[in-house]
């Protein structure tokens, strides 16, 4: 075989990005090359091709790294080259070192090209110089390489070249810089790298498990930086709390520029991220400080548990850091111990930049070899320029706390690092307000604490905080001092405090009474900062910023036994905010906590308990649990009536929501009575034009419509719409709610033009407020889809209803009644398009949901029964259709009344089956009843009435024959 190439590029799989870059540089420099990256094709024999490629090239360019030195086939390729050129005279083997390593044995004498720690420009320059020297056999004098024409030529970027292997991936959010003092853990890093090198076919989740402070996060950071060339996306997720977990995953949707990014409902964005991970490779997802695999995420199914966020089949890699060993059931688990004594001493010497190994060993022993403790000790020594011996003397003045070797999962690691924090706090104590600032942070969430939170005034104002609230320069100096001594991280807007520091600070407070006082103050601080109307979209950014801190502060207050009325009020507002953002599972949790706190602090019969119960009832109703909502709201109503009297506006508030819950459980007459009472109270107490009156009118209108009184419903809803327009203006979401119900009413009255206009307006408002994937948008899409179907625009109707179904499944879950309703309406469109099989499948699923969630005798269950029976009849299964129609009719007669328009639908549908079965007299009887109901309730000219008249006439004509 002829030799027709300058270089054969030899590498191991872990160094593939470097090989690609080197290959591109060889091409750019004018050298010919051969490589498996581009010259081997499917169907060829790999071993044969490798041998042929090596023979075709004059020289082998080897990518030298620790991975390559461990790869037997690479050794074989390089040894063959050395065998043909043992003295190196022909420079047959040219090694390019890309990572720190020292070749031994046969490779030891080979002079390599060293690119370690060079940037791309420097690496390119050195590589080209060394390639030219190797080919020529000597170096060109530096002066001979100068461009004689004056100014140097400008470089031209080659957009087709591979990314330089040390550059960061295009999607990257690792929040920490690479630690230059990172020491040890090489075996574990190599094991993780080996798992990566196995490839996507056998990829598994990797979990780093160990007690707090053993260096799990540091190891994950080093792994991300060391292997960044293998990934196109590296994303860090703070997994310790649902708020940060979901927020960070939603942030990945933004970084990936997914269509669902930035939506008000974060579940949609997280689902989109998981779909992206399912379909892409070359990504690394780090779940840092994760709780147990089955810990709640604050999201609905299918993302309710932490482990649900991880794709079942990995095309990238997931790295979890956690204290919980139960990850072993879901991941390849690596248990992190504390440092060995040798690693600990080496780390502290590098971090402190002081050469005193004996004293470093004593310090490391006192700190229990804990990496976090050693990091903080090194930082303190370096910042204060103390000798290690002085630091050791100070450390001995405090109780020596060590960490047990092994698996310290059940131990609080804060005890080990407490001595370090105490020394640091001594240094900041003279700075006015610094310690007080840290003590406030100790009762908040650890991440992204807003700096402006400390501008809030308390009454009474503690002396320690007064200096911060009254003097912005004092706040700046306090933050600077804490940052200087490693107690906080800070940027322009926020502070971050390590959770172990928080624990130490709380434990270090002088007495239990002092700790309780700070817990109360922090809750009060947040209460003043949290928006007063969390339902308003304009308040959502601030609510989102404070939510994690509200949850942490109230948890701390409960743990200290001081969670009182302020905590309950804060949790109630947080629940209202979460309800508005469709975070219903977490909303229910925090509202239940608020109820518990208020009952303990105020008594079970206090009006404030009833307020929180009322909000809880609205959340339960939206979660598809109307009967539970009814019970909670009835309890709230009883409290308010006893405490406030039967005609108080707060009683009317609870009555309004109770009426809606009764509507949802199918008790329309009870719902109407309750709403009529609420309306009377609000009109008398607040005036006829008050927005609360409009809310009650809106719900009252929906009940009237569902009771088969569309004209009365229209009058009520038009009045509500006028109030909302006058109070809120034309773009408010409350206006959209009323307009949507008015659209339904126009549709039932047969006015499709006005119905469509109303639904289009409601959709526009909701999309402007909530963006694309909020349940309120889904309601508007489905409503418009129903009207489009009635107008005959089946393609657009299907598109709208399918979008609505997707949103409801993502936000409320696959078993929610609103999901069932969307399935029902989509089935109607498919039926009209002639897809009877598809429609039947959807209706069977909807019916199962209704029966399970609402009961076998609910009016919505009757709707699905009726629709499914119609499909069966159209498929020719009259025997299967008839009992379903009869069952639907029985439910509607009982739940809606014998003269309800929906009852008329069941009568008409059943009449159609009877006629098809040959029972013309039975069909005539039912059609006559149907016509009577429709003429009375809808009018003689309504399209449904006209249709009934025509069907009755056809049956009569058939009988006359």
């Amino acid at each position: 075989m002829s030799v027709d190439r300058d270089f054969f590029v030899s590498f191991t799989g872990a160094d593939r990005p470097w090989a690609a870059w080197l290959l591109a540089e060889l091409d750019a420099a004018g050298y010919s090359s051969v490589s498996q990256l581009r010259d081997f094709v499917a169907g060829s024999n790999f071993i044969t091709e490798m041998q042929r490629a090596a023979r075709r090239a004059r020289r082998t360019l080897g990518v030298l790294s620790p991975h390559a030195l461990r790869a037997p086939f690479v050794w074989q390729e390089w040894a063959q080259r050395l065998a043909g050129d043992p003295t190196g005279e022909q420079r047959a083997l040219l090694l390019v070192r890309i990572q720190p390593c020292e070749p031994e044995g046969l490779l030891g004498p080979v002079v390599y090209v060293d690119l370690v720690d060079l940037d791309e420009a420097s690496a390119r320059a050195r590589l080209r110089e060394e390639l030219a020297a190797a080919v020529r056999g000597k170096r060109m004098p530096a002066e001979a390489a100068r461009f004689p024409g004056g100014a140097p030529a400008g470089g031209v970027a080659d957009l087709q070249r591979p990314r330089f292997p040390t550059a960061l991936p295009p999607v990257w959010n690792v929040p920490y810089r690479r630690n230059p003092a990172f020491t040890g853990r090489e075996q574990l890093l190599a094991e993780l790298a080996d798992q990566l090198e196995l490839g996507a076919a056998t990829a598994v989740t990797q979990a780093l498990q160990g007690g707090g402070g053993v260096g799990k996060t540091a190891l994950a950071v080093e792994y991300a930086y060391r292997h960044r060339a293998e990934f196109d996306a590296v994303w860090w997720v703070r997994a310790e709390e649902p708020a940060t977990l979901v927020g960070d995953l939603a942030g990945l949707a933004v970084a990936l520029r997914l269509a669902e990014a930035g939506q008000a409902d974060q579940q949609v964005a997280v689902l989109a991220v998981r779909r992206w991970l399912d379909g892409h490779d070359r990504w690394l997802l780090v779940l840092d400080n994760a709780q147990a695999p089955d810990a709640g995420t604050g999201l609905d199914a299918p993302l309710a548990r932490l482990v649900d966020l991880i794709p079942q089949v990995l095309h990238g890699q997931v790295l979890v850091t956690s204290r919980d060993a139960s990850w072993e059931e879901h991941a390849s688990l690596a248990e992190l111990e504390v440092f060995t004594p040798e690693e600990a001493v080496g780390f502290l010497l590098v971090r402190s930049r002081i050469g005193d190994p004996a004293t470093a060993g004593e310090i490391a022993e006192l700190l229990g070899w804990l990496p976090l403790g050693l990091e903080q000790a090194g930082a303190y020594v370096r910042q204060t320029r103390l000798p290690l011996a002085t630091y050791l003397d100070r450390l001995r003045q405090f109780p020596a706390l060590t960490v047990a070797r092994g698996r310290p999962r059940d131990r609080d690691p804060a005890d080990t690092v407490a001595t370090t924090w105490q020394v640091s706090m001594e240094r900041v104590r003279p700075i006015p307000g610094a310690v007080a600032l840290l003590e406030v942070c100790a009762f908040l969430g650890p991440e992204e604490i807003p700096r402006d939170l400390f501008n809030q005034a308390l009454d009474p104002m503690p002396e320690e905080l007064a200096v911060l609230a009254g003097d912005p320069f004092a706040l700046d100096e306090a933050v600077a001092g804490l940052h200087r001594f490693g107690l906080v991280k800070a940027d322009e807007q926020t502070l971050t405090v390590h959770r172990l520091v928080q624990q130490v600070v709380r434990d270090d407070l002088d007495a239990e009474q002092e700790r309780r006082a700070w817990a109360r103050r922090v809750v009060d601080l947040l209460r003043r900062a949290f928006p007063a109307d969390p339902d308003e979209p304009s308040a959502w950014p601030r609510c989102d910023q404070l939510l994690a801190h509200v949850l942490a502060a109230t948890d701390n207050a409960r743990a200290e036994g001081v969670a009182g009325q302020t905590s309950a009020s804060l949790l109630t507002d947080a629940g209202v905010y979460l309800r508005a953002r469709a975070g219903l599972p977490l909303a229910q949790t925090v509202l239940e906590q608020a109820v518990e706190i208020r009952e303990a602090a105020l008594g079970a019969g206090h009006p404030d308990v009833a307020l929180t119960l009322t909000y809880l009832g609205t959340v339960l109703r939206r979660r598809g649990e109307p009967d539970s909502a009814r019970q909670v709201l009835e309890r709230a109503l009883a409290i308010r009536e006893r405490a406030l009297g039967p005609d108080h506006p707060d009683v009317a508030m609870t009555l309004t929501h109770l009426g809606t819950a009764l509507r949802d459980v199918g008790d329309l007459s009870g719902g109407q009575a309750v709403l009529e009472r609420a309306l009377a109270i609000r009109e008398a107490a607040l005036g006829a034009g008050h927005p609360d009156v409009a809310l009650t009118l809106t719900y009252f209108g929906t009940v009237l419509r569902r009771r088969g009184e569309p004209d009365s419903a229209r009058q009520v809803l038009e009045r509500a719409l006028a109030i909302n327009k006058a109070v809120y203006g034309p773009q408010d979401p409350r206006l959209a709610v009323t307009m949507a119900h008015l659209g339904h009413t126009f549709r039932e009255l047969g006015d499709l033009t006005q119905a469509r206009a109303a639904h289009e307006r409601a959709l526009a408002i909701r999309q402007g407020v909530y963006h694309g994937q909020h349940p309120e948008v889904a309601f508007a899409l489905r409503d418009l889809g129903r009207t489009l179907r009635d107008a005959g625009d089946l393609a657009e109707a299907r598109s709208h209803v399918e979008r609505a179904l997707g949103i409801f499944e993502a936000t409320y879950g696959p078993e929610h009644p609103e999901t069932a309703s969307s399935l029902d309406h989509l089935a109607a469109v498919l039926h009209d398009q002639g897809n009877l099989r598809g429609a039947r499948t959807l209706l069977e699923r909807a019916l199962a949901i209704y029966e399970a969630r609402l009961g076998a005798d609910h009016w919505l269950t009757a709707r699905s029964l009726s629709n499914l029976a119609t499909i069966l009849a159209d498929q020719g299964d009259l025997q299967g259709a008839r009992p379903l129609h009869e069952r639907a009719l029985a439910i509607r007669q009982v739940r809606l009344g014998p003269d309800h328009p929906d009852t008329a639908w069941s009568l008409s549908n059943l009449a159609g089956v009877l006629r098809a079965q040959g029972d013309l007299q039975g069909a005539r009887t039912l059609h006559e009843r149907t016509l009577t109901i429709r003429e009375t309730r809808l009018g003689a000219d309504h399209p449904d009435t006209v249709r009934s008249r025509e069907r009755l006439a056809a049956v009569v004509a058939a009988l006359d024959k």
Side-chain angles (χ1 to χ4, degrees), residues 423-432 434-435 438 478 481-482 485 487:
V423 171
S424 297
M425 287 180 65
E426 279 193 355
R427 298 301 300 265
V428 302
R429 202 173 295 278
I431 303 174
V435 172
L438 191 61
L482 293 170
F485 293 104
L487 292 166

Side-chain angles (χ1 to χ4, degrees), residues 22 71 332 355 408 452 469 475 528 538 622 627 649 707 709 722 734 805-806 830-831 866 877:
L22 289 168
S332 176
D452 63 8
L475 178 59
R528 292 169 183 268
S538 60
R622 293 189 188 188
D627 195 59
R707 295 204 71 188
E709 302 175 28
R734 284 157 287 210
L805 174 61
L830 294 182
H831 172 267
S866 179
D877 184 6

Side-chain angles (χ1 to χ4, degrees), residues 380-457:
Y380 183 84
V381 167
R382 182 63 187 159
Q383 292 165 5
T384 60
R385 301 301 193 268
L386 284 177
L388 285 177
T390 303
Y391 182 84
L392 178 60
D393 291 338
R394 295 188 180 182
L395 189 58
R396 283 172 172 163
Q397 297 176 17
F398 301 91
L401 303 174
T402 60
V403 176
R405 301 292 297 275
R407 296 178 57 186
R409 186 167 73 88
D410 297 327
R411 170 198 49 79
D412 184 355
D415 293 339
T416 302
V417 297
T419 52
T420 300
W421 308 133
Q422 289 167 348
V423 171
S424 297
M425 287 180 65
E426 279 193 355
R427 298 301 300 265
V428 302
R429 202 173 295 278
I431 303 174
V435 172
L437 188 153
L438 191 61
E439 288 170 343
V440 170
C441 291
F443 290 88
L444 297 168
E447 308 284 350
E448 296 182 1
I449 301 168
R451 292 174 70 147
D452 63 8
L453 187 63
F454 301 96
N455 298 328
Q456 303 291 322

Side-chain angles (χ1 to χ4, degrees), residues 185 188 192 205-217 219-220 287-293 319-329 331-338 406-411:
R185 310 297 199 197
L188 185 53
L192 291 175
T205 299
Q206 304 289 318
L208 303 176
Q209 183 272 328
V214 297
K216 302 180 295 295
T217 297
L219 185 62
L287 301 179
D288 188 37
N289 287 307
Q291 302 296 326
L319 184 58
V320 179
T321 71
S322 178
R323 299 184 189 186
D324 199 310
S326 62
W327 277 100
E328 188 172 16
E329 299 177 8
S332 176
L333 193 71
E335 299 173 11
L336 261 68
E337 305 278 348
V338 295
R407 296 178 57 186
R409 186 167 73 88
D410 297 327
R411 170 198 49 79

Side-chain angles (χ1 to χ4, degrees), residues 578-745:
L578 288 164
R579 180 191 66 177
R581 295 297 297 272
L584 300 182
L586 188 55
Q588 179 177 341
T589 298
V590 299
L591 288 169
E592 287 171 344
Q593 291 175 353
V595 169
E596 180 184 340
I597 294 170
R598 280 184 157 161
E599 286 179 330
L602 304 173
H606 196 278
D608 287 352
V609 174
L611 173 65
T612 306
L613 283 170
T614 298
Y615 287 131
L616 177 58
T618 66
V619 169
L620 290 170
R621 185 180 69 80
R622 293 189 188 188
R623 294 202 71 186
E625 302 175 25
D627 195 59
S628 297
R630 176 188 59 79
Q631 296 176 46
V632 168
L633 289 164
E634 286 175 344
R635 181 183 163 202
L637 177 63
I639 295 170
R640 282 182 153 172
E641 286 179 325
R642 284 195 302 269
L644 305 174
D647 299 324
H648 194 278
D650 289 352
V651 171
M653 172 192 174
T654 302
L655 284 168
T656 296
H657 294 297
L658 177 59
T660 308
L662 290 170
R663 177 200 69 188
D664 289 353
V665 298
D667 184 1
L668 296 180
S669 59
Q672 179 173 342
V674 166
L675 286 165
E676 286 174 337
R677 181 184 164 199
L679 181 60
I681 295 172
R682 281 184 157 171
E683 285 180 326
L686 305 175
H690 195 277
D692 288 352
V693 172
L695 177 65
T696 304
L697 283 168
T698 297
Y699 291 149
F700 183 38
T702 67
V703 171
L704 290 174
R705 178 177 62 81
R706 291 183 178 177
R707 295 204 71 188
E709 302 175 28
D711 195 60
S712 298
R714 177 186 58 78
Q715 297 175 46
V716 169
L717 290 166
E718 285 177 340
R719 181 184 162 200
L721 186 65
I723 297 172
N724 282 332
K725 282 183 177 179
V727 175
Y728 298 119
Q731 302 298 325
D732 192 87
R734 284 157 287 210
L735 191 76
V737 173
T738 304
M739 194 165 288
H741 290 299
L742 188 57
H744 290 309
T745 304

Side-chain angles (χ1 to χ4, degrees), residues 840 844 847 851 861-862 864-873 877-891 906 910:
R840 177 174 179 173
E844 287 171 343
L847 178 61
E851 289 180 325
T861 303
S864 276
L865 285 166
S866 179
N867 292 340
L868 180 57
T870 299
I871 298 294
L872 293 176
D877 184 6
L878 299 178
Q879 288 298 110
R882 180 169 178 171
L884 296 185
H885 277 313
E886 289 172 340
R887 182 180 162 198
L889 175 61
I891 294 171
S906 285
L910 183 56

Side-chain angles (χ1 to χ4, degrees), residues 348-372:
L348 187 54
L349 292 176
V350 172
R351 186 66 180 89
S352 65
R353 304 185 192 178
I354 297 176
D356 185 354
T359 306
E362 293 185 68
I363 292 172
E365 184 175 2
L366 284 176
L367 292 174
W369 324 113
L370 190 69
L372 179 59

Side-chain angles (χ1 to χ4, degrees), residues 540-587:
W540 291 353
R542 181 62 165 173
C543 292
D544 186 60
Q545 186 183 42
L546 295 176
L547 179 61
H549 305 297
V550 169
L551 300 179
T554 51
D555 280 348
N556 283 319
R558 294 176 75 200
E560 297 295 337
V562 294
Q565 175 69 336
T566 305
S567 292
S569 178
L570 191 55
L571 285 169
T572 298
D573 283 351
V576 172
Y577 161 68
L578 288 164
R579 180 191 66 177
R581 295 297 297 272
L584 300 182
L586 188 55

